[in-house]
């Protein structure tokens, strides 16, 4: 199912390219609200679970598990079905804007310090009202919460 969605998205990107544009920009700028960065997954998971309760947000780990090679990965079956190899990980931000609590791996994001599990409580378009509001709400409980902008790859994965 996920494979079909990605294929459809790739086709849409190709067909919506203008005649004057030979290639589609495969990156978009996103902004994430981060409440914690931790070198240990277990620390990030503890914070994420607590944050979901305190902020009354859905805990959305996307069925990802800790992995020494890629930081995070989907199951072996999912990886092999979707990408043909295990482990596999795609950074959040492709088409899943909104408020949620998630753990992502910093190596997958441009401009982030490598080797950290980051607890995200929102993501969206750069400077959006939703992201600003999520940051304001997060700071009520997590004083060190901040937002960070990065480019996220949205091109074809196959």
């Amino acid at each position: 199912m996920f494979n079909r969605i990605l294929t459809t998205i790739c086709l849409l990107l190709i067909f919506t390219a203008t005649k004057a544009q030979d290639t589609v920009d495969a990156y978009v700028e996103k902004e994430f609200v981060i409440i914690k960065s931790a070198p240990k997954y277990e620390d990030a998971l503890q914070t994420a679970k607590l944050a979901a309760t305190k902020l009354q947000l859905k805990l959305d780990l996307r069925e990802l598990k800790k992995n020494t090679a890629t930081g995070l990965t989907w199951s072996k079956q999912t990886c092999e079905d979707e990408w043909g190899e295990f482990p596999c990980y795609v950074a959040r931000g492709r088409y899943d804007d909104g408020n949620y609590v998630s753990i992502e791996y910093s190596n997958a994001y441009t401009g982030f310090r490598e080797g950290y599990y980051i607890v995200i409580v929102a993501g969206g378009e750069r400077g959006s009202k939703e992201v600003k509001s999520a940051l304001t709400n997060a700071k009520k409980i997590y004083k060190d919460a901040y937002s960070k902008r990065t480019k996220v790859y949205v091109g074809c994965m196959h």
Side-chain angles (χ1 to χ4, degrees):
M1 169 97 168
F2 189 66
N3 192 24
R4 283 183 266 156
I5 292 170
L6 286 177
T7 301
T8 302
I9 291 169
C10 289
L11 289 173
L12 286 171
L13 286 171
I14 291 167
F15 286 110
T16 58
T18 62
K19 291 179 184 178
Q21 185 181 15
D22 291 339
T23 59
V24 177
D25 185 7
Y27 291 86
V28 296
E29 192 163 31
K30 294 291 182 159
E31 188 170 7
F32 296 97
V33 176
I34 300 168
I35 61 168
K36 182 177 182 97
S37 298
K40 293 183 180 180
Y41 178 79
E42 296 75 19
D43 293 341
L45 182 59
Q46 182 179 17
T47 297
K49 288 178 178 179
L50 189 57
T53 300
K54 286 184 172 185
L55 296 170
Q56 297 180 345
L57 294 172
K58 177 183 177 186
L59 179 63
D60 184 6
L61 301 178
R62 300 188 299 150
E63 299 181 16
L64 292 166
K65 302 291 182 203
K66 179 181 172 184
N67 180 272
T68 55
T70 56
L72 293 169
T73 187
W74 279 286
S75 70
K76 184 174 183 179
Q77 184 68 49
T78 298
C79 289
E80 289 175 353
D81 288 350
E82 300 300 329
W83 290 280
E85 59 185 51
F86 175 82
C88 62
Y89 172 63
V90 177
R92 185 180 278 283
R94 291 176 61 83
Y95 303 101
D96 53 4
D97 294 350
N99 297 347
Y100 45 77
V101 178
S102 177
I103 300 172
E104 302 301 323
Y105 197 59
S106 63
N107 293 25
Y109 295 92
T110 304
F112 284 41
R113 187 171 177 191
E114 292 189 359
Y116 285 84
Y117 295 94
I118 52 177
V119 181
I120 293 173
V121 298
E125 297 298 320
R126 176 183 173 186
S128 70
K129 289 179 184 178
E130 293 80 12
V131 170
K132 288 178 183 178
S133 176
L135 179 58
T136 299
N137 288 337
K139 280 185 162 289
K140 291 176 184 173
I141 298 169
Y142 298 94
K143 302 296 182 208
D144 294 335
Y146 63 98
S147 68
K148 186 162 179 122
R149 296 175 180 170
T150 187
K151 290 205 176 232
V152 174
Y153 181 74
V154 294
C156 296
M157 303 292 287
H158 301 284

